[in-house]
């Protein structure tokens, strides 16, 4: 059997390679970058993702190295609003939400793939592709043309695969500049997420490793957003970005499919980005295996299965982002009063957490 070609060596492409290989489907995985990224925008590994990665051994490695999230602390201008302590077992989660830098999660997947004899081919820049009646031909900057029965585009928001297919990527962007920082901080809880809302601004703090925390905020300079009593130390990494919410018009065209940021992007609120893409990879692996066994409708079925599911997530996160970033007396009143009221109803809290963790729906393979 000729190998499936995966374009993109980030977490979604790595997951697709891992899932396919473990199904007995040979793969080649290529990436335009010469080396894995050393910095990490994604940080949260959801219970759903850990469950999907359990049999490969990656879940155990992530949990052993990462920080479990024991709770979530909500504030308004530094004053406590609500404390949420998830009962992961009650929600049917075998693992807690775990904080681990994306680069480390990728490293564990790369190690698992290496154990199966699969290595990422780096520095391979896709320049074009064409489909034939029996496969896909992918051209690369170095002049090589690779043929494959199927191709999976997991090459990020600026996907060369999506551009080569001519698939539109409609959506909208937000004007706010979000500031991202990994820094040594004294004061935050070591095992809980911290959210502090204020008029026209917000701060999110997550435990990273040891005394290093991931901070992201909008509306005010990050150092000015820290609560009283916190002390900012050495900054390890920083980046600014703007948020967009976009969904590809199609997730599959013939023998080519899209997943992860190549197919959908949204704000980091909710921590669904990488995790949602790994769900895509899981479904693609099942559809690809069936396709190669003669069920020729299955790549089209991948698009029918994943696009509506991912669209729901993008819509939900867009709405949540608008609430968080919204300003004005009515919005500020809602931010200040809703969390403590909702926290009194455990079933509402659990429903919201299940949505955020990706546990609110089964992964449909059919």
């Amino acid at each position: 059997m000729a190998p499936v070609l995966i374009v993109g060596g980030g977490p979604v492409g790595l997951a697709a390679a891992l899932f396919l290989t473990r199904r007995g489907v040979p793969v080649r995985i290529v990436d335009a970058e010469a080396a894995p990224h050393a910095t990490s925008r994604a940080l949260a590994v959801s219970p759903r993702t850990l469950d999907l990665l359990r049999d490969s051994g990656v879940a155990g490695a992530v949990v052993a190295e990462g920080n479990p999230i024991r709770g979530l602390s909500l504030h308004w201008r530094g004053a406590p609003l609500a404390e949420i302590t998830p009962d992961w077992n009650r929600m049917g989660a075998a693992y807690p939400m775990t904080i681990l830098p994306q680069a480390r999660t990728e490293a564990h997947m790369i190690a698992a793939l290496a154990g199966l004899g699969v290595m990422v081919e780096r520095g391979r820049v896709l320049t074009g592709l064409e489909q034939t009646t029996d496969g896909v031909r992918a051209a690369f900057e170095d002049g090589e043309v690779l043929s494959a029965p199927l191709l999976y585009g997991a090459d990020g928001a600026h996907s060369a695969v999506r551009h080569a297919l001519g698939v539109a990527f409609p959506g909208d962007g937000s004007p706010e500049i979000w500031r991202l920082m990994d820094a040594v901080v004294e004061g935050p809880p070591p095992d809980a997420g911290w959210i502090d809302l204020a008029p026209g601004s917000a701060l999110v703090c997550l435990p990273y490793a040891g005394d290093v925390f991931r901070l992201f905020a909008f509306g005010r300079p990050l150092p000015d957003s820290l609560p009283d009593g916190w002390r900012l130390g050495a900054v390890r990494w920083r980046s600014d970005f703007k948020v967009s919410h976009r969904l590809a018009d199609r997730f599959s065209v013939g023998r080519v499919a899209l997943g992860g940021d190549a197919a959908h992007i949204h704000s980091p609120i909710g921590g669904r980005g990488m995790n949602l893409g790994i769900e895509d990879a899981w479904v693609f692996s099942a559809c690809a295996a069936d396709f190669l066994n003669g069920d020729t409708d299955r790549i089209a079925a991948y698009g029918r299965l994943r696009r509506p599911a991912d669209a729901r997530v993008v819509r939900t996160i867009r709405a949540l982002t608008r609430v968080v970033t919204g300003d004005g007396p009515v919005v500020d009143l809602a931010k200040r009063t809703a969390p403590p009221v909702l926290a009194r109803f455990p079933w509402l809290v659990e429903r919201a957490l299940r949505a955020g963790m990706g546990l609110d729906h089964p992964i449909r393979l059919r």
Side-chain angles (χ1 to χ4, degrees):
M1 183 188 300
V4 171
L5 180 61
I6 299 168
V7 179
V12 178
L14 292 169
L18 192 57
F19 297 148
L20 285 166
T21 303
R22 290 184 57 80
R23 288 178 179 272
V25 177
V27 302
R28 288 184 72 173
I29 177 169
V30 302
D31 191 83
E33 300 295 331
H37 289 157
T39 56
S40 305
R41 285 201 171 178
L43 199 66
V45 188
S46 74
R48 165 62 60 75
T49 294
L50 291 168
D51 192 50
L52 295 179
L53 294 171
R54 183 203 308 245
D55 292 344
S56 67
V58 172
V62 168
V63 170
E65 184 180 349
N67 294 323
I69 290 294
R70 306 297 184 191
L72 184 64
S73 186
L74 303 176
H75 299 76
W76 174 260
R77 287 182 164 178
L81 289 177
E83 298 287 334
I84 297 171
T85 304
D87 186 337
W88 302 113
N89 291 330
R90 179 184 171 89
M91 288 189 285
Y95 302 93
M97 173 69 89
T98 300
I99 300 299
L100 186 68
Q102 177 182 322
R104 293 302 305 149
T105 300
E106 290 182 18
H108 290 305
M109 287 196 279
I110 289 169
L113 280 171
L116 297 171
V118 178
M119 306 295 290
V120 180
E121 302 173 34
R122 299 201 171 273
R124 308 300 308 275
V125 178
L126 183 78
T127 57
L129 61 84
E130 62 178 10
Q131 300 196 55
T132 64
T133 55
D134 59 355
V136 183
R137 288 168 53 84
F140 291 87
E141 195 173 62
D142 61 7
E144 185 176 10
V145 177
L146 298 180
S147 297
L150 296 171
L151 187 149
Y152 192 49
D155 51 341
H158 302 289
S159 172
V161 174
R162 190 185 65 244
H163 285 295
L165 292 173
V167 171
F169 200 36
D172 54 66
S174 300
E176 298 90 5
I177 296 176
W178 288 73
R179 293 172 174 85
L180 187 66
M181 181 186 293
D182 294 339
V184 174
V185 186
E186 294 180 11
D191 59 355
W194 177 287
I195 300 175
D196 193 8
L197 303 174
S201 66
L203 167 71
V204 179
C205 176
L206 296 172
Y208 188 99
D211 59 354
V212 177
F213 290 81
R214 163 65 55 85
L215 307 167
F216 58 95
F218 74 90
R220 289 188 294 169
L222 250 172
D224 298 340
S225 301
L226 298 184
D228 292 340
W230 288 20
R231 181 180 175 186
L232 181 65
V235 175
R236 304 291 176 80
W237 177 63
R238 69 173 73 215
S239 179
D240 293 347
F241 63 97
K242 289 186 176 181
V243 165
S244 292
H245 298 87
R246 300 185 181 278
L247 185 77
D249 276 349
R250 302 179 67 182
F251 276 29
S252 59
V253 178
R255 291 171 176 256
V256 180
L258 301 170
D261 286 356
H264 47 83
I265 56 174
H266 53 72
S267 88
I269 293 174
R272 292 296 300 273
M274 178 185 75
N275 297 291
L276 192 63
I278 290 175
E279 273 191 36
D280 294 340
W282 175 260
V283 176
F284 174 77
S285 70
C287 292
D290 291 344
F291 179 94
L292 295 171
N293 284 325
D295 190 347
T296 55
D297 181 58
R298 289 294 277 156
I299 301 305
Y302 165 80
R304 292 194 296 270
L305 289 167
R306 289 311 298 170
R307 192 175 186 279
D310 293 343
R312 284 193 295 273
V313 173
V314 172
R315 284 196 301 270
T316 299
I317 294 178
R318 178 192 283 116
L320 182 57
T321 302
R322 285 176 176 170
V323 171
V324 171
T325 59
D327 198 7
V330 175
V331 175
D332 289 345
L333 179 63
K335 292 179 190 178
R336 194 165 63 248
T337 59
V341 172
L342 296 176
R344 296 176 185 174
F345 298 91
W347 65 273
L348 277 176
V349 173
E350 183 174 315
R351 182 174 179 180
L353 288 173
R354 288 178 64 84
M357 304 303 107
L359 298 170
D360 57 334
H361 64 280
I363 302 180
R364 293 183 55 211
L365 297 179
R366 290 282 176 180

